[in-house]
Amino acid sequence: MAIDEMWLQFSILKKRLTNEIFYVNLEYEDKITIRLRSEICEWLGCQLTGEKSEATVVLSVNSKLDDNLEAYEVKENEIIGASSVGLLYGFYAYLRLKLSGANLSEKSAPAQSLRMINHWDQVDGTIERGYAGESIFFGRFGSNDNTDTGSFAVKNIGTDIFRNDFTRLKMYARFLASIGINAISLNNVNVRGLGTSLIVSPYIEKVGEISKLFATFGLKTFLAINWAAPKLIGELKTSDPLDENVYTWWQQTIDHIYEVIPDFGGFVVKADSEGEPGPYQYGRNHADGANMLAKAFEKYNGLVIWRTFVYNSQTDWRKRKNDRAKAAYENFMPLDGDFSDNVILQIKFGPIDFGVREPLMPLFGALKKTNQLMEFQITAEYLGHQLDLNYVLPQWLEMIHFDNYGQPKDTIRANSPVATHSGFIAIGNVGMDENWCGNKLSQANFYGFGRMCWNNDLTATEILQEWIALTFSEVKAEVQKEIFELLIDSNQTYELYNAPLAVGSMMVPHYHYGPSINGYEYDRWGAYHFSDRNGLGIDRTTATGTGFASLYAPEVAKVFEDKSKTPDEILLFFHYVEYGHLLHNGKTLIQTIYDQHFEGFERVKSYIKSWKSLKGQVDEATYDNVADRLERQLEHARNWRDQVNTYFYRMSGIPDDQGREIYR
Amino acid sequence: MAIDEMWLQFSILKKRLTNEIFYVNLEYEDKITIRLRSEICEWLGCQLTGEKSEATVVLSVNSKLDDNLEAYEVKENEIIGASSVGLLYGFYAYLRLKLSGANLSEKSAPAQSLRMINHWDQVDGTIERGYAGESIFFGRFGSNDNTDTGSFAVKNIGTDIFRNDFTRLKMYARFLASIGINAISLNNVNVRGLGTSLIVSPYIEKVGEISKLFATFGLKTFLAINWAAPKLIGELKTSDPLDENVYTWWQQTIDHIYEVIPDFGGFVVKADSEGEPGPYQYGRNHADGANMLAKAFEKYNGLVIWRTFVYNSQTDWRKRKNDRAKAAYENFMPLDGDFSDNVILQIKFGPIDFGVREPLMPLFGALKKTNQLMEFQITAEYLGHQLDLNYVLPQWLEMIHFDNYGQPKDTIRANSPVATHSGFIAIGNVGMDENWCGNKLSQANFYGFGRMCWNNDLTATEILQEWIALTFSEVKAEVQKEIFELLIDSNQTYELYNAPLAVGSMMVPHYHYGPSINGYEYDRWGAYHFSDRNGLGIDRTTATGTGFASLYAPEVAKVFEDKSKTPDEILLFFHYVEYGHLLHNGKTLIQTIYDQHFEGFERVKSYIKSWKSLKGQVDEATYDNVADRLERQLEHARNWRDQVNTYFYRMSGIPDDQGREIYR
């Protein structure tokens, strides 16, 4: 089976470009312009002339086009980049317009400077939270199955850890560039096994080969490191960031990396989190740790991307005032202004962990003197494992536009001391699966992330329409519309049958797929719902709860502190609410729970009906792939509906006011 | 570290026998008498004379001693067996009396004919539900850790699957013989991977080597089979028991086994259970399946041991009338009288699965024309994983004496068409751990099972006193007493802090250690507690529930059908009970739940105090081993106490009447 072309439908593009003759008009060539020539001639098989006069499309670089060197302009017969990489982006924009049949007229510059994908790929080929087969970077022997097992030990597969499938890697780099991604980290932030050694010989040389390919598509390569590397592979007795030997080891390691990869991006670091080592072990803080590395990177303009996902995963459910939601704020707010200029904090959009519904992380807007990246998760860890339909852009866009001392889409740049050291980053969702994402329709999220980074003002509707116009460019308009309808509310549908009203973790532990209402309730992960016979929800108010609500800007805090003002959809994240409490929707809490769960299930039923009507209208591989996933989703939605409804019926004793079947 | 000698304290025995001179007075020698000579000379290093007149102890066989050829008599200067194996048992009885300092005067015959251990060992060295390191039979490369992972996939470790540690195996065979065990099956009843091939070359030859050693200790060797073996390894298209090719394949396979192992015991079969294949797949019943194999075994006097643990593990929690407890009865009661004479049904003592508290399986007493084995579990799957103290004999003895058309200790023999084809069987608890059982004190259950099989009238107190007298033969009487106190109620202690009043499965799925109150509640395993805001328990009455209670003898059913007559400790197994309901103990259900859980925890605290007082009084390895386990048990008991109490407080809203701390 051929590997899926996603939104760059090769054979259709080829047809549409059959009459075009390209001319590349440049003063200087570089690896990116050479890549561009190769894309035109070799990938698309188009005519590339040496005579400008023959050309129907002229490509050129003009640094005066825009202050932003990544900007481009596409016209009927011309593509202009503010730099070579801008030109590359312009070229893919041109293809996008061609494929979707839009006007060839677009001038654009990216809204976010760093537009990055993190891979959680492991050296044995597994992917932490991967739902589309094994890693495209690592592993050689494994199957193409869903590799998420809920446990992420790394198998020892010897030292020959790279997959070396450069055909795949080139395709992937092209997809990334075509949506404007400009940075990538290759390996899981939980760095285990030989993953720790990727930063040294002989592994860094192989990373260098990948990086060299990626650079031709305008992509900087990063690696995730294990904080304890000086001990684990450097034979030092400590990893204390203030120890001189530790610093020297890092400096030498980084020096060597730049010998091999002169344009290396930097490190991604998960420290002191979920059992990973970090500076706290040595009584140092995160600025001590990050700045030490930053110093070693300074002369290379390398970056240290430091994750704020720091919390104590040994929480005791008995201690109700403890609140994992506060952890990142409490750990990093006091350090605002203390980080070096080449350190960037990578901050998840929500205070817990990519949940189905979370409020904005209150660090956004509050951190005023720190470089910032806002982190998303394309891979559907909490959102249905790429089995259930879930077009997630509505959720992400709500987050980047949520006003907490301004909107993050603006504040993360404005509050970053080095403006270009800011942006968006997401965990990738691709693997060795033929269609890259397990579920064909999950490609929309990958595409959407790139587009959202580039243009913060696109709506979820616009992005989805774009993706459908590209991916299904030759199917009928009615069919495109049907696919649109299927996806546009799918994130909300998932939310309807999931844990109610943002109360959070009610899913099967470790796997995070399927309901387990008390799965985390008495565990050490700080994710509780506190349901009892009277009600449920987490009291995060200042007066009677954990006080998390007070961490927001005053006008936001005023809303979240007040049960009567907090919007329904986020209510149980902030308040313990009785079953009989009337919500803004005019119904009681318990009736809302029932209604949402019945509705979520019915919606999936209607998705199946709708998809079945498309048989013969979309290609067979896509039809079968999605049909199979929808059947699984229906079973999933049924389990959620019945378990949640029964659980809360048993708890509350209150029947459904419409008399629908709730099992005793 | 030396391998633990368990209850056969070699160095002490040696001292006590230093003045004895043994003489073996026999008409015929066989492999068992040769083993006996070797035990005297080589193992114990005692004097074995050729001159009867020199002897202080004369060993002989006298078939007139007893109708039961396994009987023995020990006197001051004489050991007599009704056969060679009887003599072997008499010899170990002599050692027991010597070691414990009892009078050398005992005449005894075993109460049960078959006294068997099943191993759930897998060919990769793991043990399903093993808590004492890897298999002593299989595996070569693994660590000595607790191998229970909750999932039992078998790794491919190549074809060299045997451990070949014959030193260990000989020690183990001696332990078995010393407590009268006379049969053993080597491999897990869930037969996976190369386990299926143990019955054919080249594996059966290696099984033959083990079997040959074990036979010298009076032990018959059995193997568990995979019902689908004709398809899996025989290249047939079916495993239908009525298919002629299937029968021929089994006959040839069995013929070959007996060429290699002339005294092979037979097969243990788990069919149509928990996803294992079986005759139901072909529309045949269990008698069809078992009798087909039995026919192939007939000429060899081989046995087919057929497990009744047959239930549908795809139960739907939504269907409340379904009842896993009824499954074995419904599957096997209609077949009473249909099984061949060399088939034995292996029936778990309780209707669910070795739970902390279950009523007797109602098949006992009801089956009148079927050979029967009563099945126990020494390995502590549901009883604390050999981390928590749990001397289980009180529970087992209650079961063998529970009157349902007579007591099982008598009825299983009386109702077996071939009386000698009946007995007790248990899942073993040993592994490669230095002390065999993970927890030194778990040895008492292994010892106790053998003694219970041999003498059904021993009390739990007597068995424990015996075991302590042997294992701690040279520690002070006060210390022995302290150990006794620690263990004698430990099964009850575990029950106190576990799921309340026999309601069943509230433990962590797969692992079965630690609380997870709803862990199985919405799953497919048929193990539910149905708790809600008003009460909890499973209604198994005929009037309003599943009707399971009616399966007992009328006078027993009368008790279990009636909430007011059912004993407290089994109440929630048979009835849904409201929190405010007054129990026989004079307290409400909810208060009983609280009290038991507080008490269970306090008892473990007192165990620790008691054990600490023994420091220096018992050997250091034992002291440290148990001290470590007790600390873990305390944490375990605390988790149970707090999670159960909080869960039911949240459900019921009723506070503890003594105001102790229950977390919200």
Side-chain angles (χ1 to χ4, degrees):
Chain A
M1 197 177 160
I3 300 168
D4 197 285
E5 293 270 343
M6 301 221 261
W7 54 84
L8 287 173
Q9 297 290 310
F10 172 76
S11 55
I12 298 166
L13 271 174
K14 224 174 142 107
K15 270 192 305 194
R16 304 226 175 139
L17 297 174
T18 189
N19 296 322
E20 306 299 346
I21 301 172
F22 292 88
Y23 175 75
V24 180
N25 187 18
L26 287 177
E27 279 178 55
Y28 303 102
E29 293 273 339
D30 61 20
K31 59 193 166 198
I32 292 173
T33 59
I34 292 166
R35 168 62 58 200
L36 184 56
R37 289 180 188 275
S38 155
E39 288 290 274
I40 294 167
C41 285
E42 298 178 69
W43 174 48
L44 290 170
C46 288
Q47 300 180 67
L48 183 61
T49 179
E51 291 290 330
K52 192 173 177 183
S53 60
E54 288 178 3
T56 61
V57 185
V58 175
L59 292 83
S60 62
V61 168
N62 178 358
S63 62
K64 290 180 193 140
L65 180 70
D66 199 289
D67 288 345
N68 188 328
L69 292 180
E70 294 183 310
Y72 63 80
E73 182 169 15
V74 175
K75 302 181 193 170
E76 192 65 47
N77 300 309
E78 206 178 349
I79 309 172
I80 307 160
S83 68
S84 58
V85 74
L87 181 60
L88 187 76
Y89 294 142
F91 174 69
Y92 291 121
Y94 169 86
L95 297 184
R96 166 164 51 79
L97 298 172
K98 273 281 189 191
L99 197 51
S100 61
N103 280 342
L104 289 175
S105 168
E106 185 173 290
K107 183 166 185 298
S108 189
Q112 298 297 328
S113 292
L114 264 165
R115 305 176 300 279
M116 184 171 193
I117 299 283
N118 280 6
H119 284 270
W120 285 354
D121 295 20
Q122 311 204 107
V123 293
D124 61 358
T126 60
I127 303 177
E128 182 159 333
R129 311 306 175 189
Y131 311 109
E134 289 204 336
S135 168
I136 61 174
F137 299 107
F138 305 108
R140 297 179 53 207
F141 311 106
S143 76
N144 211 9
D145 291 343
N146 180 329
T147 61
D148 180 26
T149 63
S151 145
F152 304 104
V154 166
K155 289 189 291 285
N156 182 353
I157 60 162
T159 55
D160 189 6
I161 57 178
F162 290 90
R163 190 175 293 278
N164 291 321
D165 183 347
F166 280 90
T167 308
R168 271 269 183 175
L169 293 182
K170 193 200 277 186
M171 289 179 79
Y172 185 52
R174 178 181 296 127
F175 290 129
L176 294 170
S178 77
I179 53 173
I181 301 297
N182 63 4
I184 185 169
S185 65
L186 306 186
N187 60 317
N188 188 8
V189 290
N190 293 319
V191 184
R192 299 176 184 126
L194 276 178
T196 308
S197 297
L198 287 172
I199 53 177
V200 297
S201 294
Y203 306 102
I204 190 65
E205 283 74 11
K206 203 82 200 183
V207 171
E209 285 180 40
I210 297 171
S211 164
K212 201 168 171 183
L213 168 68
F214 276 41
T216 67
F217 287 94
L219 291 154
K220 284 255 189 206
T221 298
F222 290 69
L223 289 173
I225 59 156
N226 186 319
W227 180 258
K231 284 173 73 180
L232 293 171
I233 59 172
E235 293 180 3
L236 299 187
K237 292 211 170 64
T238 176
S239 297
D240 181 352
L242 302 193
D243 181 284
E244 202 168 317
N245 294 323
V246 169
Y247 173 74
T248 304
W249 186 86
W250 281 114
Q251 184 67 68
Q252 287 169 350
T253 300
I254 288 165
D255 287 345
H256 178 246
I257 293 175
Y258 279 89
E259 271 171 42
V260 179
I261 311 174
D263 60 349
F264 184 68
F267 289 159
V268 177
V269 191
K270 174 176 182 175
D272 289 313
S273 172
E274 300 189 311
E276 298 299 316
Y280 280 164
Q281 276 175 269
Y282 304 99
R284 316 303 182 188
N285 68 28
H286 287 268
D288 295 329
N291 293 344
M292 180 274 292
L293 289 175
K295 190 176 157 204
F297 271 115
E298 217 168 6
K299 57 183 158 183
Y300 306 109
N301 296 314
L303 296 176
V304 176
I305 297 181
W306 194 271
R307 294 176 96 231
T308 63
F309 186 58
V310 167
Y311 76 102
N312 179 357
S313 54
Q314 301 289 337
T315 293
D316 191 331
W317 59 271
R318 298 168 182 89
K319 296 177 183 152
R320 216 147 151 172
K321 290 280 178 183
N322 287 2
D323 190 356
R324 171 174 161 185
K326 293 160 74 178
Y329 193 96
E330 287 175 344
N331 278 289
F332 288 91
M333 200 55 219
L335 301 177
D336 191 24
D338 290 351
F339 291 95
S340 301
D341 274 356
N342 57 335
V343 172
I344 313 180
L345 293 189
Q346 173 166 325
I347 308 166
K348 293 192 182 189
F349 70 76
I352 300 286
D353 188 17
F354 304 131
V356 170
R357 168 72 67 171
E358 296 191 29
L360 183 73
M361 160 69 82
L363 279 172
F364 293 111
L367 278 178
K368 303 282 190 198
K369 297 172 283 181
T370 304
N371 298 321
Q372 297 164 43
L373 276 172
M374 192 171 191
E375 182 177 355
F376 303 89
Q377 191 180 42
I378 314 178
T379 193
E381 174 179 354
Y382 297 99
L383 302 182
H385 285 200
Q386 286 147 232
L387 295 170
D388 298 29
L389 289 196
N390 200 326
Y391 173 62
V392 69
L393 269 292
Q395 183 187 13
W396 294 345
L397 291 172
E398 193 177 329
M399 289 295 110
I400 73 171
H401 290 99
F402 186 91
D403 193 339
N404 184 56
Y405 303 109
Q407 299 182 6
K409 77 183 181 70
D410 306 316
T411 60
I412 60 175
R413 185 183 185 87
N415 293 340
S416 291
V418 181
T420 54
H421 290 175
S422 66
F424 295 165
I425 168 276
I427 317 308
N429 69 337
V430 309
M432 289 296 286
D433 195 277
E434 277 97 354
N435 74 22
W436 297 88
C437 297
N439 187 331
K440 173 80 178 175
L441 304 183
S442 298
Q443 295 173 1
N445 292 325
F446 176 15
Y447 180 83
F449 173 70
R451 296 294 290 147
M452 172 181 86
C453 292
W454 189 278
N455 181 346
N456 300 162
D457 297 323
L458 286 172
T459 66
T461 292
E462 285 165 340
I463 292 174
L464 183 56
Q465 282 169 340
E466 243 185 40
W467 176 76
I468 290 171
L470 298 174
T471 306
F472 299 98
S473 60
E474 298 207 329
V475 309
K476 289 182 210 150
E478 311 93 85
V479 173
Q480 290 190 351
K481 190 162 175 299
E482 199 78 33
I483 297 171
F484 177 87
E485 294 299 337
L486 210 63
L487 281 167
I488 191 66
D489 293 328
S490 57
N491 178 256
Q492 188 188 45
T493 299
Y494 194 84
E495 185 177 1
L496 286 172
Y497 60 75
N498 210 272
L501 306 175
V503 79
S505 310
M506 289 187 170
M507 67 280 183
V508 176
H510 312 303
Y511 294 92
H512 302 168
Y513 188 82
S516 177
I517 293 159
N518 283 341
Y520 280 108
E521 188 63 9
Y522 299 96
D523 213 332
R524 61 194 176 84
W525 301 94
Y528 314 119
H529 52 71
F530 301 120
S531 69
D532 63 24
R533 66 189 272 115
N534 302 313
L536 79 157
I538 309 114
D539 185 347
R540 289 189 161 111
T541 64
T542 306
T544 53
T546 71
F548 169 76
S550 72
L551 305 182
Y552 289 89
E555 63 276 25
V556 179
K558 219 174 285 168
V559 172
F560 289 154
E561 291 274 15
D562 185 342
K563 197 185 289 194
S564 72
K565 290 186 181 142
T566 305
D568 289 352
E569 66 270 14
I570 200 77
L571 182 62
L572 302 180
F573 193 93
F574 287 102
H575 302 282
Y576 173 89
V577 179
E578 305 215 328
Y579 294 118
H581 182 83
L582 268 188
L583 307 189
H584 294 118
N585 65 14
K587 299 190 288 194
T588 61
L589 170 61
I590 187 73
Q591 193 56 44
T592 302
I593 292 175
Y594 296 153
D595 286 352
Q596 292 194 348
H597 286 80
F598 284 115
E599 186 190 344
F601 177 79
E602 293 305 322
R603 281 199 189 184
V604 180
K605 262 174 58 177
S606 81
Y607 290 169
I608 291 178
K609 201 175 153 199
S610 159
W611 189 252
K612 280 187 172 158
S613 77
L614 302 189
K615 195 171 166 77
Q617 307 288 312
V618 295
D619 66 282
E620 207 178 319
T622 294
Y623 181 81
D624 292 346
N625 171 264
V626 176
D628 168 75
R629 301 309 188 264
L630 283 171
E631 288 298 334
R632 297 206 236 171
Q633 181 174 6
L634 188 70
E635 184 60 21
H636 192 221
R638 193 170 82 98
N639 281 333
W640 272 101
R641 179 196 69 184
D642 290 345
Q643 292 190 33
V644 169
N645 284 350
T646 295
Y647 181 91
F648 287 106
Y649 172 68
R650 288 183 184 175
M651 273 285 188
S652 69
I654 301 169
D656 173 44
D657 67 10
Q658 295 181 50
R660 290 163 295 195
E661 177 151 36
I662 294 176
Y663 301 91
R664 277 197 305 137
Chain B
M1 197 179 160
I3 301 167
D4 196 286
E5 292 270 341
M6 299 223 260
W7 53 84
L8 288 172
Q9 296 291 310
F10 172 75
S11 54
I12 298 167
L13 271 173
K14 223 174 142 109
K15 270 192 303 192
R16 302 224 177 142
L17 296 173
T18 189
N19 296 321
E20 306 298 345
I21 302 170
F22 292 88
Y23 175 75
V24 180
N25 187 18
L26 289 175
E27 278 178 58
Y28 303 101
E29 293 273 339
D30 62 19
K31 59 193 166 199
I32 292 172
T33 59
I34 291 166
R35 169 61 59 201
L36 184 56
R37 287 180 190 276
S38 152
E39 289 290 272
I40 295 168
C41 285
E42 297 178 69
W43 174 48
L44 290 170
C46 289
Q47 300 180 67
L48 182 62
T49 178
E51 290 292 328
K52 190 172 177 186
S53 60
E54 287 178 1
T56 60
V57 185
V58 175
L59 292 83
S60 62
V61 167
N62 178 358
S63 63
K64 288 177 194 141
L65 180 71
D66 199 288
D67 288 346
N68 188 326
L69 291 180
E70 293 183 311
Y72 64 80
E73 182 169 14
V74 175
K75 301 180 195 172
E76 190 66 46
N77 300 308
E78 207 178 348
I79 308 171
I80 308 160
S83 68
S84 58
V85 73
L87 182 59
L88 187 75
Y89 294 142
F91 174 70
Y92 291 120
Y94 169 85
L95 297 184
R96 167 166 48 79
L97 298 172
K98 272 282 190 190
L99 197 52
S100 61
N103 279 344
L104 289 176
S105 168
E106 185 172 288
K107 185 167 185 296
S108 188
Q112 299 296 329
S113 292
L114 265 165
R115 305 176 301 278
M116 185 171 191
I117 299 284
N118 279 8
H119 283 270
W120 285 355
D121 294 22
Q122 310 204 108
V123 293
D124 61 358
T126 60
I127 303 177
E128 182 159 334
R129 310 308 176 187
Y131 310 110
E134 290 204 335
S135 167
I136 61 173
F137 299 107
F138 305 109
R140 296 180 55 208
F141 312 107
S143 75
N144 211 9
D145 289 344
N146 181 330
T147 61
D148 181 26
T149 62
S151 144
F152 304 103
V154 167
K155 291 189 290 285
N156 183 352
I157 59 161
T159 55
D160 189 7
I161 57 178
F162 291 91
R163 189 175 293 277
N164 292 320
D165 183 346
F166 281 90
T167 307
R168 271 269 185 176
L169 293 181
K170 193 201 276 185
M171 289 179 79
Y172 185 52
R174 179 181 296 129
F175 290 129
L176 294 170
S178 77
I179 53 172
I181 300 299
N182 63 4
I184 184 167
S185 65
L186 306 186
N187 61 316
N188 188 10
V189 290
N190 294 318
V191 184
R192 299 176 184 125
L194 276 179
T196 308
S197 298
L198 286 173
I199 54 177
V200 297
S201 294
Y203 306 103
I204 191 64
E205 284 74 10
K206 203 80 201 183
V207 171
E209 284 180 41
I210 296 171
S211 164
K212 203 168 169 183
L213 168 68
F214 276 42
T216 67
F217 286 94
L219 291 154
K220 283 253 190 208
T221 298
F222 290 69
L223 289 172
I225 59 157
N226 186 318
W227 180 259
K231 286 174 72 180
L232 294 172
I233 60 171
E235 293 180 2
L236 300 186
K237 292 213 169 62
T238 176
S239 297
D240 181 352
L242 303 192
D243 182 281
E244 203 167 317
N245 293 325
V246 170
Y247 173 74
T248 304
W249 187 85
W250 280 115
Q251 182 68 68
Q252 287 168 350
T253 301
I254 288 166
D255 288 345
H256 179 247
I257 293 175
Y258 279 90
E259 271 172 43
V260 179
I261 311 174
D263 60 348
F264 183 68
F267 289 160
V268 177
V269 191
K270 174 176 181 174
D272 289 314
S273 171
E274 299 188 311
E276 297 299 316
Y280 280 163
Q281 276 175 269
Y282 304 99
R284 316 303 182 186
N285 69 29
H286 286 267
D288 294 330
N291 293 344
M292 179 275 289
L293 289 175
K295 191 174 156 205
F297 271 117
E298 215 169 7
K299 56 182 159 182
Y300 306 110
N301 296 313
L303 296 176
V304 176
I305 298 180
W306 194 272
R307 294 177 97 231
T308 63
F309 186 59
V310 168
Y311 75 101
N312 180 357
S313 54
Q314 301 289 337
T315 294
D316 191 331
W317 60 270
R318 298 167 181 89
K319 296 177 182 151
R320 211 142 151 175
K321 290 279 180 185
N322 287 2
D323 190 356
R324 171 175 162 185
K326 292 160 76 178
Y329 193 97
E330 286 175 345
N331 278 289
F332 288 91
M333 200 56 217
L335 301 177
D336 191 24
D338 291 351
F339 290 96
S340 302
D341 274 356
N342 57 336
V343 172
I344 313 181
L345 293 190
Q346 174 167 327
I347 309 167
K348 292 191 183 189
F349 71 76
I352 301 285
D353 189 17
F354 304 132
V356 171
R357 170 71 69 170
E358 297 191 27
L360 184 73
M361 159 70 81
L363 279 172
F364 293 111
L367 280 178
K368 304 282 191 196
K369 297 172 285 184
T370 304
N371 298 322
Q372 297 165 42
L373 276 172
M374 191 171 191
E375 183 177 355
F376 302 89
Q377 192 180 42
I378 313 177
T379 193
E381 175 179 354
Y382 297 99
L383 301 183
H385 286 201
Q386 288 149 231
L387 296 169
D388 297 29
L389 288 197
N390 200 325
Y391 174 63
V392 69
L393 269 291
Q395 183 187 14
W396 292 347
L397 292 171
E398 191 176 331
M399 289 295 111
I400 72 171
H401 290 99
F402 186 91
D403 194 339
N404 183 55
Y405 305 108
Q407 298 181 7
K409 78 184 180 70
D410 306 316
T411 61
I412 59 175
R413 185 181 185 89
N415 293 340
S416 291
V418 181
T420 54
H421 290 174
S422 67
F424 294 164
I425 167 274
I427 318 309
N429 69 337
V430 307
M432 289 296 285
D433 194 278
E434 277 98 356
N435 74 23
W436 297 88
C437 297
N439 187 331
K440 173 79 180 176
L441 302 184
S442 298
Q443 296 174 1
N445 292 325
F446 178 11
Y447 180 84
F449 173 69
R451 296 294 290 147
M452 173 182 85
C453 293
W454 189 278
N455 181 345
N456 298 164
D457 297 322
L458 286 172
T459 65
T461 292
E462 286 166 340
I463 292 173
L464 184 56
Q465 282 170 339
E466 244 184 40
W467 176 75
I468 291 170
L470 298 173
T471 305
F472 299 98
S473 59
E474 299 207 330
V475 310
K476 288 183 211 151
E478 310 93 82
V479 173
Q480 291 192 349
K481 189 160 177 300
E482 200 77 34
I483 297 171
F484 177 88
E485 295 299 337
L486 211 63
L487 281 167
I488 191 65
D489 293 327
S490 57
N491 179 255
Q492 190 190 42
T493 299
Y494 194 83
E495 184 176 1
L496 286 172
Y497 60 74
N498 210 272
L501 305 175
V503 79
S505 308
M506 290 187 169
M507 67 281 181
V508 175
H510 313 303
Y511 294 91
H512 303 168
Y513 188 81
S516 177
I517 292 159
N518 282 341
Y520 280 108
E521 190 63 9
Y522 299 96
D523 213 330
R524 61 193 177 86
W525 300 96
Y528 313 119
H529 53 71
F530 300 121
S531 67
D532 63 23
R533 70 193 329 258
N534 303 311
L536 80 158
I538 309 113
D539 185 348
R540 290 188 160 113
T541 65
T542 306
T544 53
T546 72
F548 169 77
S550 72
L551 304 182
Y552 289 89
E555 63 276 22
V556 179
K558 218 174 286 169
V559 173
F560 289 154
E561 292 273 16
D562 185 342
K563 196 184 290 192
S564 72
K565 288 185 184 143
T566 304
D568 289 351
E569 65 271 14
I570 200 79
L571 182 62
L572 301 179
F573 192 94
F574 287 101
H575 302 282
Y576 173 87
V577 180
E578 305 214 327
Y579 295 118
H581 183 83
L582 267 188
L583 307 190
H584 294 118
N585 66 14
K587 298 189 287 194
T588 61
L589 171 60
I590 188 72
Q591 192 56 42
T592 302
I593 292 174
Y594 296 152
D595 287 351
Q596 291 194 350
H597 286 78
F598 283 115
E599 186 189 344
F601 177 78
E602 292 304 322
R603 281 198 189 184
V604 181
K605 263 176 52 177
S606 79
Y607 290 170
I608 291 178
K609 200 175 153 202
S610 158
W611 189 253
K612 282 189 172 159
S613 77
L614 303 189
K615 193 169 168 77
Q617 307 287 313
V618 296
D619 67 281
E620 206 177 318
T622 295
Y623 180 82
D624 291 346
N625 171 265
V626 175
D628 168 75
R629 302 311 189 262
L630 283 172
E631 287 299 334
R632 298 206 235 172
Q633 179 172 7
L634 188 71
E635 184 59 23
H636 192 222
R638 193 169 83 101
N639 281 333
W640 274 100
R641 180 196 69 184
D642 290 345
Q643 292 191 32
V644 168
N645 284 349
T646 294
Y647 182 90
F648 287 105
Y649 172 69
R650 288 183 184 176
M651 273 283 187
S652 69
I654 302 170
D656 173 43
D657 68 9
Q658 295 181 49
R660 289 163 294 194
E661 177 150 35
I662 295 176
Y663 300 91
R664 278 195 304 141

